[in-house]
């Protein structure tokens, strides 16, 4: 298995992985056209973020992306970890561990001072996974407002 940065040619496979992820999340729905647009925006602009993929025998079996912003509290770049997903057929093989470790190293190389991520509040398996890699539960509460269709 190898971990590499995603390319534009990877987008169709990444959309399939995102479909798997969004089918288990409460707030999001799969839409390949919309997801392809978002993936391309990240891949085409390294200042926005980066997408890492896990490949086995040339097939993408996992992905994670990091998006950048600036924290005034920390005085520098921070990352938002999004879309961490491993193909159902590749779960239990250490793919997630390799992706999260690579993400942490990637964020450090890009000068990030913190990584933040969101999971569904009832996804205890994900909570335990991220805690094993040094993430801790925040006291912050997430609020969202959609700006589409106002």
């Amino acid at each position: 298995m190898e971990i590499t940065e995603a390319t534009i040619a990877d987008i169709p496979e990444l959309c399939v992985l995102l479909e798997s992820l969004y089918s288990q999340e409460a707030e999001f729905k799969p839409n390949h056209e919309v997801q392809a647009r978002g993936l391309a925006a990240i891949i085409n602009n390294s200042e926005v973020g980066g997408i890492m993929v896990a490949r086995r025998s040339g097939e993408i079996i996992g992905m994670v992306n990091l998006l950048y912003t600036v924290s005034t509290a920390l005085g520098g770049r921070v990352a938002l970890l999004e879309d961490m997903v491993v193909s159902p057929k590749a779960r239990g093989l250490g793919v997630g561990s390799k992706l999260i470790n690579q993400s942490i190293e990637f964020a450090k190389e890009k000068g990030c001072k913190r990584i933040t991520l969101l999971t569904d509040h009832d996804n205890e398996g994900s909570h335990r996974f991220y805690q094993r890699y040094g993430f801790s539960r925040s006291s912050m509460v997430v609020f969202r407002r959609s700006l589409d269709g106002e």
Side-chain angles (χ1 to χ4, degrees), residues 103-119:
S103 297
I104 292 166
E105 290 309 309
F106 187 82
K108 287 178 183 177
E109 289 170 12
K110 299 297 181 180
C112 294
K113 297 181 177 292
R114 176 185 67 215
I115 299 175
T116 300
L117 62 89
L118 303 172
T119 67

Side-chain angles (χ1 to χ4, degrees), residues 1 17 23 30 54 57 59 63 67 69-70 73 77 79 95 100 108 117 119 125 128 134 142 150:
M1 176 184 8
L17 278 175
S23 68
S57 302
E59 178 186 3
M63 69 172 284
L67 304 175
T69 189
V70 174
R77 179 183 267 190
V95 177
I100 196 69
K108 287 178 183 177
L117 62 89
T119 67
R128 285 189 302 275
V142 176
E150 286 190 310

Side-chain angles (χ1 to χ4, degrees), residues 59-77:
E59 178 186 3
I60 296 175
I61 57 172
M63 69 172 284
V64 62
N65 74 54
L66 293 173
L67 304 175
Y68 308 131
T69 189
V70 174
S71 167
T72 55
L74 297 176
R77 179 183 267 190

Side-chain angles (χ1 to χ4, degrees), residues 26-116:
E27 291 190 29
F28 304 106
K29 300 292 180 235
N31 180 325
H32 285 224
E33 182 181 329
V34 170
Q35 275 89 59
R37 202 168 45 243
L39 292 163
I42 300 166
I43 292 168
N44 286 327
N45 187 345
S46 62
E47 291 301 307
V48 170
I51 302 173
M52 279 140 290
V53 296
R55 298 177 199 273
R56 183 176 61 191
S57 302
E59 178 186 3
I60 296 175
I61 57 172
M63 69 172 284
V64 62
N65 74 54
L66 293 173
L67 304 175
Y68 308 131
T69 189
V70 174
S71 167
T72 55
L74 297 176
R77 179 183 267 190
V78 295
L80 176 62
L81 187 146
E82 289 246 322
D83 301 331
M84 172 87 167
V85 60
V86 174
S87 170
K89 64 184 175 187
R91 292 186 183 149
L93 301 176
V95 177
S97 294
K98 288 186 186 302
L99 283 169
I100 196 69
N101 283 326
Q102 184 63 38
S103 297
I104 292 166
E105 290 309 309
F106 187 82
K108 287 178 183 177
E109 289 170 12
K110 299 297 181 180
C112 294
K113 297 181 177 292
R114 176 185 67 215
I115 299 175
T116 300

